[in-house]
């Protein structure tokens, strides 16, 4: 989360309301413990900053190699998701942002992989924002899975952390399950199945 704070600060050294909302929402979705929340609050309002490279070293020293690969993609998606929420920002122009470019290099991600992560963000937005039906969701998800294989990104990387269009995996499962598998409010029953899949994948990696 501090990595994402660094991104929010890099352009104007301030965290605006939209950025703050995105950061705090992410912390809530991944159920950041109370002591870590206090540390995050201190980081948000304090003057001391930790270099992103140091944060990455600290993070990856705590996980095995297989998980590192998933985290590389997931962290990048989290940062891109925050960028996508900012008004007047076109996340597809990520190459013009020095922080995003340097983070992509540090995480050893290719331009094609970054573009795919952006496709994943837009895919999620289409499902929830455009009220797609089952047929449309199935087609888009198949297309996304084909792209994932082509650029070497496991689908689990898209849903490993909290950047599921502002809704965590558990939230998707419990919230849409309460809707009775589709129909109500225009949500597709297939989305509930996606939520179950996300939770299963997350538990597997944990």
């Amino acid at each position: 989360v501090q990595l994402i704070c660094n991104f929010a600060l890099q352009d104007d050294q301030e965290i605006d309301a939209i950025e703050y909302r995105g950061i705090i929402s992410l912390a809530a979705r991944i159920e950041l413990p109370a002591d870590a929340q206090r540390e995050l609050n201190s980081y948000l309002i304090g003057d001391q900053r930790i270099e992103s490279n140091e944060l990455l070293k600290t993070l990856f020293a705590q996980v095995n190699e297989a998980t590192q690969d998933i985290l590389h993609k997931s962290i990048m998606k989290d940062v891109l998701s925050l960028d996508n929420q900012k008004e007047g920002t076109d996340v597809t122009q990520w190459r013009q942002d020095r922080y995003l470019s340097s983070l992509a290099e540090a995480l050893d991600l290719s331009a094609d992989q970054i573009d795919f992560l952006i496709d994943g963000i837009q895919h999620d937005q289409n499902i929830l924002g455009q009220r797609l039906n089952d047929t449309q969701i199935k087609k888009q998800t198949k297309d996304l899975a084909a792209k994932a294989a082509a650029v070497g990104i496991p689908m689990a990387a898209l849903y490993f952390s909290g950047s599921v269009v502002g809704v965590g995996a558990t939230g998707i499962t419990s919230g849409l399950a309460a809707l009775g598998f589709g129909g109500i409010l225009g949500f597709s029953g297939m989305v509930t199945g996606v939520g179950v899949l996300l939770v299963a994948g997350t538990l597997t990696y944990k």
Side-chain angles (χ1 to χ4, degrees):
V1 180
Q2 288 174 331
L3 279 165
I4 298 170
C5 293
N6 283 2
F7 168 66
L9 286 162
Q10 56 91 27
D11 54 351
D12 56 7
Q13 299 304 306
E14 291 183 356
I15 294 178
D16 62 29
I18 293 175
E19 292 168 336
Y20 183 80
R21 181 185 65 195
I23 291 167
I24 296 302
S25 295
L26 175 62
R29 289 195 300 276
I30 64 176
E31 299 180 358
L32 204 65
D35 56 343
Q37 289 184 30
R38 288 190 290 271
E39 184 179 348
L40 175 60
N41 287 334
S42 297
Y43 194 80
L44 284 168
I45 64 177
D47 296 327
Q48 300 298 319
R49 297 284 172 255
I50 305 173
E51 290 293 326
S52 294
N53 286 338
E54 290 301 314
L55 290 172
L56 288 171
K57 286 181 183 178
T58 301
L59 175 62
F60 292 125
Q62 302 177 62
V63 296
N64 61 40
E65 187 174 342
T67 305
Q68 282 187 23
D69 182 60
I70 295 291
L71 279 176
H72 280 201
K73 279 86 172 177
S74 185
I75 287 170
M76 195 72 209
K77 189 191 174 192
D78 286 335
V79 177
L80 291 167
S81 293
L82 182 64
D83 190 42
N84 191 53
Q85 294 175 38
K86 296 163 70 172
E87 294 181 8
T89 300
D90 182 359
V91 70
T92 63
Q93 301 300 312
W94 63 270
R95 293 170 180 80
Q96 299 176 17
D97 187 293
R98 186 171 60 183
Y99 185 90
L100 292 176
S101 297
S102 61
L103 182 61
E105 183 176 353
L107 295 173
D108 195 26
L109 298 177
S110 69
D112 286 343
Q113 289 175 325
I114 303 297
D115 290 338
F116 169 77
L117 293 175
I118 293 171
D119 287 344
I121 292 169
Q122 294 172 341
H123 169 74
D124 294 341
Q125 288 177 326
N126 289 341
I127 288 177
L128 297 181
Q130 298 180 16
R131 304 283 180 87
L132 302 182
N133 61 38
D134 284 356
T135 301
Q136 292 170 316
I137 293 173
K138 188 173 182 179
K139 182 181 184 305
Q140 287 198 13
T141 303
K142 281 186 174 181
D143 291 344
L144 192 68
K147 289 182 181 178
V151 298
I153 292 185
M155 287 291 284
L158 290 180
Y159 304 110
F160 185 67
S161 63
S163 60
V164 187
V165 203
V167 184
T170 304
I172 287 180
T173 307
S174 59
L176 296 184
L179 298 179
F181 283 81
I184 302 174
L185 301 183
F187 283 107
S188 165
M190 196 168 179
V191 179
T192 306
V194 171
V196 174
L197 178 63
L198 304 191
V199 172
T202 302
L203 290 176
T204 299
Y205 274 100
K206 284 184 178 180

